[in-house]
Amino acid sequence: MNGPEITLEVAPELRLFVPHERRAGRTPLTTDGASTLGHVIESLGIPLTEAGTLLVDGAPADRSHIPEAGEHIDVTAVERPQRVPGAPLRFLLDVHLGTLARRLRLLGVDAAYESEDIGDPALAALSARERRVLLSRDRGLLRRREIWAGAYVYSDRPQEQLRDVLGRFAPALAPWTRCTACNGTLARADKDAVSDLLEHGTQQAYDVFAQCTECARVYWRGAHHGHLETIVADAVREFGGAAA
C-alpha cells in the first residue's frame, strides 16, 4: 500500500482485535488514499459494531471520512450503556450462544436464538427484518452490511457474557416472564389445566405453574430453581429490575 501516512490509536477495550504491534498506543499506518475511515478500521480487524466515536485530530469524524496524510485517528469504544434507537430493544443470538440466550430469556429479555446454524446471510437478514441486535463472537458475521445492529460478545463464559450484554445495553429486566425454550411469554397456569403435561411426582409436589403462550411448555419451581434464582438475583442486584 502506497498512500498517505497517518497515525492511529485504538482504545484499550478494542486492542484484542488488532495485531500486537498496534496495541501499545499511537502507531503509524499507510493508507491507500481512497478507503474510508470505516474501511481502514475494519481492515485492522475491528468490527464497526465495536467502534464508538472516531476522532480525527481530536474532532469527531464520520466513518465515510477519507484519511489524509498526517492526520491522527483515535478509535474509541462504544459508550455504555449503548442506546439502540428506532425499535424496542431485542436481540438475536447466533448458534454458539444458546446458554446466553436462555439466561437473557430467564430475565425477561427478548432474545431470539437459532439452535441450528442457518448461515450468516440468513442471520443477518433476520436481524434486519425483525430489527434485532445481533450478538455473536464471529467477527466476520458482524461485518455483514445487512445486519440492523450488532455487538461482539467478548467472553466465552456464559456468566461473563450475560454481564457484558446487560452492562452494554441495559435492557429492562422482567424475570420469570419468558419461556427459556422458545422466547414466548409466560402466563399463570391452573394446575388442573396442565396436569396432563406433568409427571405424577410433579403433580404431587407442586401447586404453582406457568405455561408458555407460544409452545405450551409448563414451568414450576423444581430442583434447579435455586440455581436459576441465583442468576436472577445477581443480575437484578447489579443491573436493576424486579426479581418477582
Side-chain angles (χ1 to χ4, degrees), residues 67-134:
E68 298 181 1
E71 289 183 339
H72 175 66
I73 311 298
D74 284 296
V75 184
T76 70
V78 291
E79 185 178 349
R80 296 185 177 223
Q82 180 181 352
R83 301 304 175 190
V84 182
L89 181 60
R90 50 190 184 174
F91 299 97
L92 170 64
L93 290 80
D94 72 16
V95 69
H96 304 292
L97 298 175
T99 299
L100 175 59
R102 289 187 290 273
R103 292 190 178 194
L104 287 169
R105 293 169 178 177
L106 177 66
L107 295 168
V109 177
D110 189 338
Y113 166 71
E114 297 293 335
S115 59
E116 296 183 1
D117 189 354
I118 63 174
D120 289 1
L123 273 175
L126 184 58
S127 166
R129 184 169 64 252
E130 298 189 358
R131 300 185 67 138
R132 292 180 178 272
V133 179
L134 179 58

Side-chain angles (χ1 to χ4, degrees), residues 91 93 97-113 158-159 162 166 171-186 210 217 219-222 224-236 240-244:
F91 299 97
L93 290 80
L97 298 175
T99 299
L100 175 59
R102 289 187 290 273
R103 292 190 178 194
L104 287 169
R105 293 169 178 177
L106 177 66
L107 295 168
V109 177
D110 189 338
Y113 166 71
Q159 181 179 352
L162 183 62
L166 297 182
L173 305 186
W176 318 110
T177 61
R178 283 192 180 273
C179 176
T180 56
C182 81
N183 199 42
T185 56
L186 299 182
R217 179 170 177 164
Y219 290 84
W220 61 93
R221 299 194 173 198
H224 300 293
H225 191 75
H227 173 62
L228 301 180
E229 280 187 321
T230 298
I231 294 173
V232 169
D234 288 347
V236 167

